Amino acid sequence: MKAVDQRTGELEPKMEVERLSTLGNYQLLDDARKNAFDRVTRLVADIFAAPIASISLVAKDREFFKSPVGLDDRQTDREASLCGQMIESREPLILEDVLAESRFAGNRLVSGNSSIRFFAGAPLIAPNGMVLGGLWFADTVPRSGLTDSQLNQLTSMADIVMSELELNREIHLREQAQKSAAIDRSNLDLTLALSDIASFRTDLETGMIEWGGAYMKIWGEDAGEALTQVEDALSRIHPEDRDSVTEAMGAAAAPGEKFEARFRIILPSGEIRWVEGYGDYLESNGRPTLTGINKDITHSVDQQEQLRLHTRELHHRLRNLFATLQSIMMLTRNSATSIDDYIERIKNRLSALNRAQHILLDTNFVTGSFAALVRDLCKTYPRVRWFGPDIILEENAMVSMSLVLNELATNAAKYGALTTDTGLVKIKWTILPDEDGQDVVELRWLESGGPQSGPAPAASGFGSSLIDHSITRNLRGEIDRDWTPDGLICTIRFPAPDEKEYR
């Protein structure tokens, strides 16, 4: 084990670095005196009838005395240290007359007030083989050497000191570990609290629960006092989810399994929250323990439910839209006079559907602005003017009104007011109470400035049928047409929507 520089008789630098590092691990150089060490040094002084005894710890440049008896000094230079000799030799050191050794002439214990003449010490050897110092006693007069029995006693007591040092080191390490664990736990709790995540630690034998993190945000403000037992927490879980959580807790004890559960809790206020739990089963101090985290996923579940409802609603509306498209295509084919006529009519009617769907998509696909629908129509037919409050219509009403306005505008462009440069169409609507006091929408389509209008057509085509069907069946309304000499006046009435907004 010795690694000594043959030229200087001192430990090689690398080995000395390791020795000093080992000594530093015991953190005793600046410690207060220890009662256990005091008892050892007094016992050594009594056993060997010595006026002086101490424990020495040899640092880089100094030798420090711990629990000294009969000694005023607390340190000395290492260069003339008596115990320093044992670091290289790793053997006990006995000096019958220190004055006979010139190498210790500079030691204050020899030349100073203590006037040490006899010295006997045993090395303090750490578990890794490094010598930290020694346990020694001294006399102010020369003595003869120790017997084998006395040397064994001194060596054994040095081993006791080393054991005490090792015990203190372990205690210190454990205290540091506990402090670090407490800091880590505090940091974890803070992190979990900021993340809205709760931690739990459950003793499965006693049923005790330790909470951490944001548990009060999830389980309620009273969770710290009201939910100290597993049965308390289970009572707050929704009855429909309680059995599945209990089963998940039991299954976590199986090798390779984890605790995973999604469940609802009912707070004292009656509020229901969705919680997701994850955890692991472990043995803590020989006791079965379930530890893990809870996360509030209520917002996520609500979003998923809304998405499911919206997806279902979208699917329903798409089916209706495709059914409308199919009907328009079939009936347009029956009324078209040629391929070009069919293409033109289909194009206009699909544009009307697209106009309604575009406005619906700009909001929530469930309702749309009637004023926006009319404004969009005016982009295609610039000589159309409109007046009236905005009305929020449901999707079905929006599609129906878009088709109605498109048919009226198409007919006006082919046969009515929009065939001339001076022709004009006005669309006016308002909200009026009917005979029963219920609000109805009254819309008037007025054409003027077009060619001289004749009597009402004897037969109606698909366009007129589409208008009548949309108003009477889809909107539960009624329609009147009046072909005046100045142009068509069309009056449409239908129930105002229950949820309406006027701007």
Side-chain angles (χ1 to χ4, degrees), residues 185-230:
R185 176 71 188 208
S186 177
N187 290 338
L188 176 61
D189 281 346
L190 179 59
T191 301
L192 292 176
L194 294 175
S195 303
D196 290 338
I197 295 176
S199 66
F200 64 87
R201 185 181 181 88
T202 305
D203 187 321
L204 297 180
E205 283 189 359
T206 64
M208 291 290 294
I209 302 179
E210 296 179 14
W211 295 100
Y215 65 94
M216 288 190 293
K217 288 184 180 179
I218 297 176
W219 288 86
E221 294 293 332
D222 64 337
E225 298 178 355
L227 306 183
T228 60
Q229 292 282 331
V230 171

Side-chain angles (χ1 to χ4, degrees), residues 102-178:
S102 59
R103 52 182 168 163
F104 302 122
N107 191 311
R108 290 186 303 171
L109 301 182
V110 177
S111 59
N113 295 331
S114 299
S115 300
I116 290 177
R117 294 294 179 266
F118 174 83
F119 176 89
L124 301 176
I125 304 176
N128 65 352
M130 296 293 106
V131 178
L132 309 183
L135 171 65
W136 57 274
F137 69 91
D139 203 340
T140 56
V141 295
R143 287 191 186 187
S144 59
L146 302 181
T147 65
D148 290 342
S149 175
Q150 289 176 319
L151 185 57
N152 289 336
Q153 279 184 303
L154 183 60
T155 302
S156 296
M157 297 184 77
D159 292 340
I160 292 174
V161 171
M162 193 64 240
S163 297
E164 189 68 26
L165 289 173
E166 187 67 18
L167 177 61
N168 286 343
R169 187 182 71 88
E170 292 293 338
I171 292 174
H172 178 77
L173 290 176
R174 181 168 296 185
E175 289 175 348
Q176 288 297 108
Q178 290 174 342

